[in-house]
Amino acid sequence: MRKQQRKTGHPRRRSAAILDAAAEVFASRGFHGASTQDIADVLGIRQASLYYYFPSKEVALEEVCLRGVEGFLETAISIAAAAGSAHDKIARLIAAHLAPLRDRRPYVRTFLNERQHLPTESRRRIGRLSRAYERLIEDVLKSGVRSGEFRHDLDCRLAALGLLGLVNAVAAWHGKEPKTTIDRIASEYARLYLGGVGIARATGQRKRR
Amino acid sequence: MRKQQRKTGHPRRRSAAILDAAAEVFASRGFHGASTQDIADVLGIRQASLYYYFPSKEVALEEVCLRGVEGFLETAISIAAAAGSAHDKIARLIAAHLAPLRDRRPYVRTFLNERQHLPTESRRRIGRLSRAYERLIEDVLKSGVRSGEFRHDLDCRLAALGLLGLVNAVAAWHGKEPKTTIDRIASEYARLYLGGVGIARATGQRKRR
DNA sequence: GGAAAATTCTATAGTTCTATAGGTGAAATC
DNA sequence: GATTTCACCTATAGAACTATAGAATTTTCC
């Protein structure tokens, strides 16, 4: 008399679906706002059945957050290490930072908004990752200042934080904004960040009213 | 055998202190992560005593969020309506947006991060406010494009969202970053947003007065 | 000093939520 | 075709949390 339909398939597939559901629910309602019941509802299984896949809600958060950050630092390191102008590197860093939003937005959002609720240990570990990432951006900016590409009086720390604010905010609205592909955002933001909103290479002073 | 010290003073004072505590706790642990017990602990009173000041935790969130947004739209409207270049308006909008972080950061943070948990009605109301605010920024950008101050191919919608991302992120780290005053952030971000990180000199953001 | 108002207390009902224990049927393996 | 493993199930213990009721204490005001 069971009316549920079993999902057959490889175990990998199923745990992935479980984690997807958790990410979805954590992203939209927040870790504490989401109950394990909510996650189970998405999957069409019973609340207690989730505990076959993870030992606690907190561990589920850890796994989601982990998938939310994975790759970020590595990719950024390889971009920074490659040859090229600071200009190009910043543009590539922006594109690489936004790319994961295409196929794992709920994971990224959960990482960004809910990592503060991780247990102390993993929160610290992830905090170190974040700081390394920030420093890496800051270093690229500094190298751009040294090479003369960027303003000599640029506050690289503030500029790095600004860049992160700019790109991280995308996770919050992308998907709701119509007709805005990740590619488009990346190229527009790169332009914005590198050259500002103004007319970058105009010769004369703008007219003022 | 009561060891607590009563805070005497005007009723206004006391309710303000209660709301401060709620804002503090909501900002640092999130609405659902914060218990009424946590708020009471900050104040040194019993959990149930809070219900003398508000009828439910949700209403407390409403009041905190309301104080978190109040003034934003009004200030922005008057900046947009005033005379001056689009350049100046953007700079002033940035400064005005950051100003409340000086004296009500927990309120602003709670608004930014927890408004999604407001009951439907007030969430909608506040949603409308936010959208009006976004549109206003977008309009200033558009006027800058028309006047020739900004790039003719600027995507004003994206640029407006970018500006908001930039400034809203400050709420998350200001206070932890050492030696970074709101004034300094405002002027550096205005420069960044208007002229980018590169050595653009075209548009007259020079200080004159 | 005494009445009224304001503020906090104790005690607890009632709900919601996480997590555990043990069972069941289907699928995979031998 | 018997056995083991997998992926769920039911039932519930136990903790945490919101909110109410009514008493007690402190402060304000005359």
Side-chain angles (χ1 to χ4, degrees):
Chain A
M1 190 69 82
R2 276 299 82 66
K3 63 186 162 194
Q4 74 157 72
Q5 52 234 18
R6 278 290 155 68
K7 280 89 175 185
T8 91
H10 305 291
R12 284 293 137 141
R13 288 276 155 82
R14 192 56 180 156
S15 344
I18 304 289
L19 212 63
D20 278 353
E24 201 83 48
V25 172
F26 287 160
S28 70
R29 304 162 83 108
F31 176 66
H32 288 295
S35 68
T36 50
Q37 183 65 64
D38 294 331
I39 302 175
D41 286 347
V42 169
L43 293 158
I45 62 175
R46 302 286 170 165
Q47 178 263 341
S49 304
L50 290 173
Y51 287 80
Y52 175 71
Y53 295 95
F54 48 73
S56 75
K57 195 182 154 192
E58 245 179 18
V59 168
L61 179 65
E62 286 183 336
E63 289 181 24
V64 170
C65 284
L66 214 67
R67 270 211 62 195
V69 266
E70 85 183 0
F72 273 80
L73 187 57
E74 295 82 342
T75 308
I77 286 175
S78 84
I79 290 173
S85 65
H87 239 90
D88 284 348
K89 285 180 186 174
I90 291 293
R92 269 188 241 130
L93 283 172
I94 290 174
H97 189 99
L98 294 176
L101 290 181
R102 269 190 280 253
D103 56 346
R104 44 186 169 121
R105 189 167 83 101
Y107 291 87
V108 176
R109 283 185 57 183
T110 299
F111 163 71
L112 288 174
N113 301 325
E114 311 302 325
R115 82 186 118 140
Q116 58 184 124
H117 302 298
L118 285 169
T120 315
E121 178 122 2
S122 50
R123 195 176 61 247
R124 294 252 171 86
R125 188 152 15 96
I126 274 183
R128 277 191 290 273
L129 277 190
S130 295
R131 254 167 283 130
Y133 193 73
E134 288 170 17
R135 234 176 298 125
L136 192 139
I137 292 174
E138 203 178 325
D139 287 346
V140 171
L141 289 170
K142 280 179 185 165
S143 80
V145 170
R146 275 195 304 273
S147 75
E149 285 178 85
F150 301 153
R151 301 195 319 252
H152 69 282
D153 62 345
L154 184 72
D155 184 328
C156 294
R157 177 74 187 142
L158 266 187
L161 290 170
L163 179 53
L164 285 169
L166 193 70
V167 290
N168 281 338
V170 176
W173 54 257
H174 178 251
K176 290 172 209 158
E177 286 293 314
K179 301 198 305 174
T180 329
T181 67
I182 292 293
D183 276 346
R184 168 144 191 67
I185 302 168
S187 79
E188 193 69 24
Y189 272 18
R191 244 185 121 183
L192 180 64
Y193 188 77
L194 291 168
V197 108
I199 303 178
R201 48 182 56 260
T203 54
Q205 205 68 344
R206 286 299 101 194
K207 57 169 174 264
R208 186 122 357 105
R209 46 174 111 124
Chain B
M1 191 67 82
R2 277 295 83 68
K3 64 184 162 195
Q4 72 157 72
Q5 52 233 15
R6 278 291 154 68
K7 279 90 174 183
T8 94
H10 306 291
R12 285 293 137 138
R13 288 275 155 83
R14 193 53 179 159
S15 342
I18 304 287
L19 213 63
D20 279 353
E24 201 83 49
V25 172
F26 288 159
S28 70
R29 304 162 83 108
F31 176 66
H32 287 296
S35 67
T36 50
Q37 182 65 64
D38 293 332
I39 302 175
D41 286 347
V42 169
L43 293 158
I45 63 176
R46 301 287 170 166
Q47 178 262 342
S49 304
L50 290 173
Y51 286 80
Y52 175 72
Y53 294 96
F54 47 73
S56 75
K57 195 183 154 191
E58 245 179 19
V59 167
L61 179 65
E62 286 184 336
E63 289 181 24
V64 170
C65 284
L66 214 67
R67 269 211 62 195
V69 265
E70 84 182 1
F72 272 81
L73 187 58
E74 295 84 342
T75 308
I77 286 175
S78 83
I79 290 173
S85 65
H87 241 97
D88 284 348
K89 285 179 185 175
I90 291 292
R92 271 188 238 130
L93 282 172
I94 291 173
H97 189 99
L98 294 176
L101 291 180
R102 269 190 280 254
D103 57 346
R104 42 185 172 124
R105 189 165 82 102
Y107 291 88
V108 176
R109 283 185 58 185
T110 299
F111 163 71
L112 288 174
N113 301 325
E114 311 302 325
R115 84 187 118 140
Q116 56 184 127
H117 300 116
L118 284 170
T120 314
E121 178 123 0
S122 49
R123 194 177 61 248
R124 294 252 170 87
R125 188 151 15 95
I126 274 182
R128 278 191 291 272
L129 277 190
S130 295
R131 255 167 283 129
Y133 192 74
E134 287 171 17
R135 235 175 298 126
L136 193 139
I137 292 174
E138 204 178 324
D139 287 345
V140 171
L141 289 170
K142 280 179 185 164
S143 81
V145 170
R146 275 196 304 274
S147 76
E149 285 178 85
F150 302 152
R151 302 194 320 254
H152 69 283
D153 62 344
L154 185 72
D155 183 328
C156 293
R157 176 75 185 142
L158 265 187
L161 289 169
L163 179 53
L164 284 169
L166 192 71
V167 290
N168 281 337
V170 176
W173 55 257
H174 178 252
K176 290 170 207 160
E177 285 293 314
K179 300 197 308 174
T180 327
T181 67
I182 292 293
D183 276 346
R184 169 144 189 67
I185 301 168
S187 79
E188 194 69 23
Y189 271 18
R191 244 185 120 182
L192 180 64
Y193 188 77
L194 291 168
V197 107
I199 20 188
R201 76 192 74 263
T203 46
Q205 220 264 327
R206 291 304 112 206
K207 55 185 65 173
R208 72 232 106 88
R209 68 176 47 174

